[in-house]
Amino acid sequence: MKVAFLGAGLMGEPMAGHLLRAGHEVFVVAHRNREPIQRLVAQGAMEVESVAAAAAASDLALMILPTSREVEKVLFGENGIAAGMGPNYLSVDMGTCYPADTRRLAERFARSGGRLIDAPVTGGVEGARDATLSIMGGGDVEAFEKIRPLLSTFSSNLYHFGDIGAGHAAKLVQNMIGFIEVAAVAEGLALAKALKLDASTFFHMLTNSHSNSPIIQWMVPKVFAGKFEAEARLDIAYKDMSQAVKLGREMTSLPLNIANAATEVFQLSRSFGFGDQDSTAVVRGLEKLLGEEIRVSSSENPSV
Protein backbone atom coordinates (compact mmCIF):
# COMPACT_ATOMS: atom_id res chain seq x y z
CA MET A 1 0.00 0.00 0.00
CA LYS A 2 1.15 3.56 -0.70
CA VAL A 3 1.07 5.63 2.51
CA ALA A 4 1.65 9.34 3.12
CA PHE A 5 3.07 9.43 6.65
CA LEU A 6 2.82 12.88 8.22
CA GLY A 7 4.36 13.46 11.63
CA ALA A 8 7.62 11.52 11.87
CA GLY A 9 8.36 12.45 15.48
CA LEU A 10 9.38 10.33 18.45
CA MET A 11 6.51 7.91 17.88
CA GLY A 12 5.87 8.52 14.20
CA GLU A 13 9.36 7.63 13.04
CA PRO A 14 9.36 4.04 14.36
CA MET A 15 5.75 3.59 13.20
CA ALA A 16 6.76 4.60 9.66
CA GLY A 17 9.76 2.30 9.93
CA HIS A 18 7.49 -0.67 10.62
CA LEU A 19 5.46 0.19 7.53
CA LEU A 20 8.61 0.20 5.41
CA ARG A 21 9.79 -3.14 6.78
CA ALA A 22 6.35 -4.60 6.01
CA GLY A 23 6.84 -3.65 2.36
CA HIS A 24 4.60 -0.58 2.12
CA GLU A 25 5.61 2.48 0.11
CA VAL A 26 5.95 5.43 2.48
CA PHE A 27 5.99 9.08 1.40
CA VAL A 28 7.32 11.70 3.84
CA VAL A 29 7.60 15.48 3.76
CA ALA A 30 10.33 17.81 5.04
CA HIS A 31 10.01 18.40 8.78
CA ARG A 32 11.40 21.07 11.08
CA ASN A 33 13.63 18.30 12.44
CA ARG A 34 15.08 16.67 9.36
CA GLU A 35 16.93 13.85 11.11
CA PRO A 36 13.93 11.48 11.35
CA ILE A 37 13.10 12.14 7.69
CA GLN A 38 16.67 11.40 6.65
CA ARG A 39 16.68 8.15 8.65
CA LEU A 40 13.40 7.06 7.06
CA VAL A 41 14.69 7.90 3.58
CA ALA A 42 17.73 5.75 4.33
CA GLN A 43 15.32 2.90 5.08
CA GLY A 44 13.50 3.35 1.79
CA ALA A 45 10.94 6.10 2.34
CA MET A 46 10.42 8.61 -0.46
CA GLU A 47 10.64 12.29 0.42
CA VAL A 48 8.35 14.58 -1.62
CA GLU A 49 8.19 18.36 -1.77
CA SER A 50 4.79 18.92 -0.15
CA VAL A 51 1.88 17.31 1.68
CA ALA A 52 -0.17 17.70 -1.50
CA ALA A 53 2.44 15.72 -3.42
CA ALA A 54 2.41 13.01 -0.74
CA ALA A 55 -1.38 12.76 -1.02
CA ALA A 56 -1.23 12.62 -4.81
CA ALA A 57 1.28 9.76 -4.69
CA SER A 58 -0.47 7.67 -2.04
CA ASP A 59 -3.58 5.63 -1.27
CA LEU A 60 -4.14 7.19 2.16
CA ALA A 61 -2.51 9.42 4.77
CA LEU A 62 -1.59 8.58 8.35
CA MET A 63 -1.22 11.72 10.47
CA ILE A 64 0.26 11.72 13.97
CA LEU A 65 0.22 15.39 14.89
CA PRO A 66 0.02 17.22 18.26
CA THR A 67 -3.34 19.02 18.02
CA SER A 68 -6.36 19.62 15.79
CA ARG A 69 -4.74 22.89 14.70
CA GLU A 70 -1.91 21.03 12.97
CA VAL A 71 -4.34 18.49 11.52
CA GLU A 72 -6.43 21.27 10.01
CA LYS A 73 -3.34 22.87 8.47
CA VAL A 74 -2.18 19.56 6.97
CA LEU A 75 -5.63 18.82 5.57
CA PHE A 76 -6.56 22.25 4.21
CA GLY A 77 -3.48 24.47 4.22
CA GLU A 78 -1.63 25.59 1.12
CA ASN A 79 -0.37 22.42 -0.58
CA GLY A 80 -2.24 20.34 1.98
CA ILE A 81 -3.90 16.96 1.53
CA ALA A 82 -7.10 18.40 0.04
CA ALA A 83 -5.06 20.09 -2.68
CA GLY A 84 -3.46 16.87 -3.89
CA MET A 85 -5.77 13.97 -3.06
CA GLY A 86 -7.89 11.91 -5.38
CA PRO A 87 -11.63 11.21 -4.91
CA ASN A 88 -12.66 9.49 -1.65
CA TYR A 89 -9.12 9.80 -0.26
CA LEU A 90 -8.77 8.49 3.31
CA SER A 91 -6.91 10.42 6.02
CA VAL A 92 -6.39 8.90 9.46
CA ASP A 93 -5.87 11.19 12.48
CA MET A 94 -3.68 9.23 14.90
CA GLY A 95 -2.84 12.05 17.31
CA THR A 96 -4.71 13.05 20.46
CA CYS A 97 -7.24 15.66 19.36
CA TYR A 98 -10.48 17.10 20.66
CA PRO A 99 -13.53 15.11 19.44
CA ALA A 100 -15.66 18.13 18.48
CA ASP A 101 -12.78 19.43 16.34
CA THR A 102 -12.42 16.01 14.74
CA ARG A 103 -16.09 15.94 13.80
CA ARG A 104 -15.88 19.46 12.35
CA LEU A 105 -12.79 18.61 10.30
CA ALA A 106 -14.35 15.36 9.07
CA GLU A 107 -17.43 17.22 7.80
CA ARG A 108 -15.28 19.81 6.04
CA PHE A 109 -13.01 17.12 4.56
CA ALA A 110 -16.04 15.24 3.24
CA ARG A 111 -17.17 18.39 1.43
CA SER A 112 -13.74 18.42 -0.24
CA GLY A 113 -14.25 14.84 -1.43
CA GLY A 114 -12.23 13.00 1.20
CA ARG A 115 -12.82 10.77 4.24
CA LEU A 116 -11.42 11.31 7.73
CA ILE A 117 -11.40 8.80 10.58
CA ASP A 118 -9.72 9.01 13.97
CA ALA A 119 -7.41 6.28 15.24
CA PRO A 120 -5.23 7.65 18.07
CA VAL A 121 -2.49 5.45 19.47
CA THR A 122 -1.29 4.72 22.98
CA GLY A 123 1.76 2.87 24.25
CA GLY A 124 4.44 5.53 24.10
CA VAL A 125 7.74 5.52 22.28
CA GLU A 126 8.52 2.02 23.51
CA GLY A 127 5.24 0.71 22.10
CA ALA A 128 5.95 2.41 18.78
CA ARG A 129 9.41 0.82 18.63
CA ASP A 130 8.12 -2.63 19.61
CA ALA A 131 5.01 -2.48 17.40
CA THR A 132 2.78 -3.05 20.46
CA LEU A 133 0.70 0.14 20.31
CA SER A 134 -3.03 0.10 21.01
CA ILE A 135 -5.31 1.98 18.63
CA MET A 136 -8.74 3.49 19.36
CA GLY A 137 -10.81 3.97 16.23
CA GLY A 138 -13.71 6.27 15.46
CA GLY A 139 -15.61 6.96 12.27
CA ASP A 140 -16.37 4.79 9.25
CA VAL A 141 -15.97 1.25 10.59
CA GLU A 142 -15.63 -0.18 7.06
CA ALA A 143 -12.63 2.10 6.40
CA PHE A 144 -11.14 1.20 9.78
CA GLU A 145 -11.45 -2.52 9.12
CA LYS A 146 -10.05 -2.14 5.62
CA ILE A 147 -6.82 -0.63 6.95
CA ARG A 148 -6.61 -2.89 10.04
CA PRO A 149 -3.80 -4.98 8.45
CA LEU A 150 -1.87 -1.77 7.74
CA LEU A 151 -2.30 -0.47 11.30
CA SER A 152 -1.36 -3.88 12.68
CA THR A 153 2.19 -3.43 11.39
CA PHE A 154 2.87 -1.21 14.43
CA SER A 155 0.05 -2.11 16.82
CA SER A 156 -1.07 -5.23 18.67
CA ASN A 157 -4.52 -4.11 19.85
CA LEU A 158 -7.13 -2.30 17.75
CA TYR A 159 -10.51 -1.16 19.06
CA HIS A 160 -13.35 0.66 17.30
CA PHE A 161 -15.51 2.88 19.54
CA GLY A 162 -18.17 4.32 17.25
CA ASP A 163 -18.80 7.47 15.25
CA ILE A 164 -16.16 10.01 14.22
CA GLY A 165 -14.43 11.44 17.30
CA ALA A 166 -15.15 8.40 19.49
CA GLY A 167 -11.56 7.20 19.20
CA HIS A 168 -10.28 10.58 20.32
CA ALA A 169 -12.74 10.57 23.21
CA ALA A 170 -11.47 7.16 24.33
CA LYS A 171 -7.87 8.34 24.05
CA LEU A 172 -8.52 11.45 26.16
CA VAL A 173 -10.15 9.39 28.91
CA GLN A 174 -7.30 6.87 28.82
CA ASN A 175 -4.72 9.65 29.02
CA MET A 176 -6.65 11.30 31.84
CA ILE A 177 -6.45 8.13 33.92
CA GLY A 178 -2.74 7.67 33.24
CA PHE A 179 -1.78 11.29 33.90
CA ILE A 180 -3.80 11.38 37.12
CA GLU A 181 -1.57 8.53 38.31
CA VAL A 182 1.55 10.38 37.16
CA ALA A 183 0.47 13.41 39.22
CA ALA A 184 -0.35 11.19 42.20
CA VAL A 185 3.05 9.48 42.06
CA ALA A 186 4.75 12.89 41.90
CA GLU A 187 2.86 14.07 44.99
CA GLY A 188 3.62 10.82 46.81
CA LEU A 189 7.34 11.10 46.09
CA ALA A 190 7.34 14.71 47.23
CA LEU A 191 5.52 13.85 50.47
CA ALA A 192 7.91 10.97 51.17
CA LYS A 193 10.84 13.34 50.61
CA ALA A 194 9.31 15.98 52.89
CA LEU A 195 8.90 13.30 55.59
CA LYS A 196 12.57 12.36 55.11
CA LEU A 197 11.82 8.79 54.07
CA ASP A 198 14.66 7.08 52.22
CA ALA A 199 13.69 7.40 48.55
CA SER A 200 15.23 4.13 47.32
CA THR A 201 13.71 2.08 50.14
CA PHE A 202 10.35 3.75 49.57
CA PHE A 203 10.44 2.85 45.86
CA HIS A 204 11.26 -0.79 46.57
CA MET A 205 8.41 -0.91 49.07
CA LEU A 206 6.02 0.54 46.48
CA THR A 207 6.94 -2.09 43.91
CA ASN A 208 6.07 -4.79 46.46
CA SER A 209 2.75 -3.27 47.48
CA HIS A 210 -0.79 -3.03 46.10
CA SER A 211 0.16 0.45 44.83
CA ASN A 212 2.63 -1.01 42.34
CA SER A 213 1.88 -0.24 38.70
CA PRO A 214 3.60 0.03 35.31
CA ILE A 215 3.55 3.83 35.71
CA ILE A 216 5.42 3.63 39.03
CA GLN A 217 7.99 1.25 37.52
CA TRP A 218 8.45 3.55 34.50
CA MET A 219 8.29 6.94 36.21
CA VAL A 220 10.15 6.66 39.51
CA PRO A 221 13.54 5.52 38.13
CA LYS A 222 13.44 8.44 35.66
CA VAL A 223 12.76 10.88 38.49
CA PHE A 224 15.53 9.37 40.61
CA ALA A 225 17.99 9.71 37.70
CA GLY A 226 16.80 13.21 36.74
CA LYS A 227 16.15 11.96 33.19
CA PHE A 228 13.44 14.29 31.92
CA GLU A 229 14.23 14.25 28.20
CA ALA A 230 10.84 14.37 26.51
CA GLU A 231 9.14 11.24 25.29
CA ALA A 232 5.72 12.78 25.87
CA ARG A 233 6.08 16.48 26.68
CA LEU A 234 4.58 17.88 29.86
CA ASP A 235 2.88 20.60 27.79
CA ILE A 236 1.13 17.90 25.75
CA ALA A 237 0.09 16.05 28.91
CA TYR A 238 -1.41 19.28 30.24
CA LYS A 239 -3.22 19.81 26.93
CA ASP A 240 -4.68 16.30 27.06
CA MET A 241 -5.78 16.69 30.68
CA SER A 242 -7.38 20.06 29.93
CA GLN A 243 -9.22 18.60 26.96
CA ALA A 244 -10.48 15.63 28.99
CA VAL A 245 -11.86 18.01 31.63
CA LYS A 246 -13.41 20.16 28.89
CA LEU A 247 -14.96 17.06 27.32
CA GLY A 248 -16.53 16.13 30.64
CA ARG A 249 -18.00 19.60 31.04
CA GLU A 250 -19.34 19.87 27.50
CA MET A 251 -20.64 16.35 26.98
CA THR A 252 -21.63 15.14 30.47
CA SER A 253 -22.72 16.36 33.89
CA LEU A 254 -19.94 14.47 35.68
CA PRO A 255 -17.75 16.45 38.11
CA LEU A 256 -14.14 15.46 37.33
CA ASN A 257 -12.71 16.62 40.64
CA ILE A 258 -9.59 14.45 40.62
CA ALA A 259 -8.79 15.24 36.98
CA ASN A 260 -9.14 18.97 37.64
CA ALA A 261 -6.77 18.77 40.59
CA ALA A 262 -4.23 16.69 38.68
CA THR A 263 -4.32 19.18 35.81
CA GLU A 264 -3.22 21.90 38.22
CA VAL A 265 -0.27 19.75 39.37
CA PHE A 266 0.91 19.74 35.75
CA GLN A 267 0.29 23.48 35.50
CA LEU A 268 2.50 24.03 38.55
CA SER A 269 5.48 22.50 36.77
CA ARG A 270 4.66 24.38 33.58
CA SER A 271 4.71 27.64 35.55
CA PHE A 272 8.32 26.88 36.51
CA GLY A 273 9.28 26.41 32.85
CA PHE A 274 9.33 22.60 32.60
CA GLY A 275 6.71 22.30 29.84
CA ASP A 276 9.19 21.13 27.18
CA GLN A 277 10.44 18.31 29.39
CA ASP A 278 8.92 14.86 29.79
CA SER A 279 5.53 14.44 31.47
CA THR A 280 7.38 12.91 34.44
CA ALA A 281 8.80 16.40 35.05
CA VAL A 282 5.46 17.09 36.75
CA VAL A 283 7.46 16.28 39.90
CA ARG A 284 9.78 19.24 39.32
CA GLY A 285 7.23 21.86 40.32
CA LEU A 286 6.79 20.06 43.65
CA GLU A 287 10.57 19.87 44.01
CA LYS A 288 10.66 23.65 43.61
CA LEU A 289 8.23 23.97 46.50
CA LEU A 290 10.29 21.53 48.58
CA GLY A 291 13.51 23.34 47.79
CA GLU A 292 15.29 20.08 46.96
CA GLU A 293 15.34 17.41 44.27
CA ILE A 294 14.22 13.79 44.60
CA ARG A 295 17.25 11.87 43.33
CA VAL A 296 19.19 8.74 44.24
CA SER A 297 22.63 7.54 43.18
CA SER A 298 22.95 5.23 40.19
CA SER A 299 23.89 2.35 42.51
CA GLU A 300 20.53 2.70 44.27
CA ASN A 301 18.49 3.21 41.10
CA PRO A 302 17.82 -0.12 39.37
CA SER A 303 17.19 1.45 35.94
CA VAL A 304 20.47 3.38 35.71
Side-chain angles (χ1 to χ4, degrees):
M1 189 172 287
K2 298 177 180 179
V3 182
F5 198 96
L6 307 170
L10 289 171
M11 292 183 65
E13 181 186 353
M15 291 163 65
H18 289 303
L19 291 172
L20 288 165
R21 285 186 287 277
H24 298 285
E25 294 182 54
V26 177
F27 298 87
V28 293
V29 182
H31 190 267
R32 62 179 179 272
N33 178 7
R34 284 200 52 79
E35 291 182 4
I37 299 296
Q38 291 168 344
R39 287 191 291 266
L40 288 171
V41 169
Q43 295 175 58
M46 287 161 278
E47 183 178 0
V48 293
E49 69 275 11
S50 68
V51 172
S58 60
D59 302 313
L60 79 161
L62 300 183
M63 306 176 292
I64 182 159
L65 304 166
T67 70
S68 301
R69 185 182 304 109
E70 286 84 4
V71 172
E72 185 166 17
K73 182 177 180 181
V74 164
L75 289 175
F76 305 110
E78 185 179 0
N79 289 319
I81 288 175
M85 67 182 183
N88 213 31
Y89 186 83
L90 178 64
S91 291
V92 186
D93 184 352
M94 308 196 76
T96 306
C97 297
Y98 196 62
D101 292 334
T102 305
R103 290 190 291 271
R104 173 179 59 82
L105 293 175
E107 291 171 1
R108 182 180 172 188
F109 198 53
R111 292 194 297 271
S112 298
R115 295 176 295 158
L116 177 68
I117 64 173
D118 49 318
V121 299
T122 188
V125 175
E126 183 178 354
R129 290 171 181 158
D130 296 342
T132 57
L133 294 170
S134 292
I135 293 178
M136 292 149 275
D140 184 346
V141 66
E142 183 178 344
F144 183 79
E145 292 301 327
K146 185 175 181 179
I147 64 169
R148 180 182 285 267
L150 178 75
L151 301 180
S152 295
T153 60
F154 48 73
S155 63
S156 55
N157 300 286
L158 291 88
Y159 310 92
H160 191 270
F161 281 93
D163 293 338
I164 187 71
H168 279 145
K171 177 64 188 300
L172 285 174
V173 175
Q174 181 262 316
N175 273 7
M176 182 189 80
I177 293 169
F179 288 135
I180 284 173
E181 184 175 358
V182 169
V185 172
E187 287 195 343
L189 291 176
L191 180 58
K193 183 72 172 181
L195 295 172
K196 303 188 184 308
L197 302 179
D198 180 78
S200 181
T201 302
F202 184 73
F203 172 59
H204 285 292
M205 179 277 295
L206 278 179
T207 61
N208 288 290
S209 74
H210 283 303
S211 297
N212 190 30
S213 71
I215 284 180
I216 284 175
Q217 295 176 22
W218 158 76
M219 176 180 176
V220 178
K222 291 180 71 172
V223 172
F224 283 174
K227 291 186 175 180
F228 298 113
E229 296 83 4
E231 291 187 9
R233 288 192 297 119
L234 192 148
D235 276 341
I236 296 298
Y238 175 79
K239 180 267 294 184
D240 291 351
M241 288 291 288
S242 299
Q243 289 191 340
V245 169
K246 180 182 177 184
L247 189 64
R249 289 174 179 160
E250 290 186 349
M251 300 298 295
T252 78
S253 58
L254 289 173
L256 300 177
N257 298 326
I258 297 172
N260 273 286
T263 302
E264 293 308 308
V265 180
F266 281 92
Q267 175 60 12
L268 173 67
S269 288
R270 292 177 76 241
S271 72
F272 284 111
F274 300 124
D276 285 335
Q277 296 187 10
D278 192 67
S279 60
T280 54
V282 66
V283 75
R284 302 202 70 182
L286 298 167
E287 289 177 336
K288 285 288 188 180
L289 299 182
L290 280 173
E292 55 183 329
E293 295 179 337
I294 304 167
R295 306 286 184 270
V296 300
S297 67
S298 58
S299 62
E300 297 177 290
N301 189 350
S303 75
V304 176

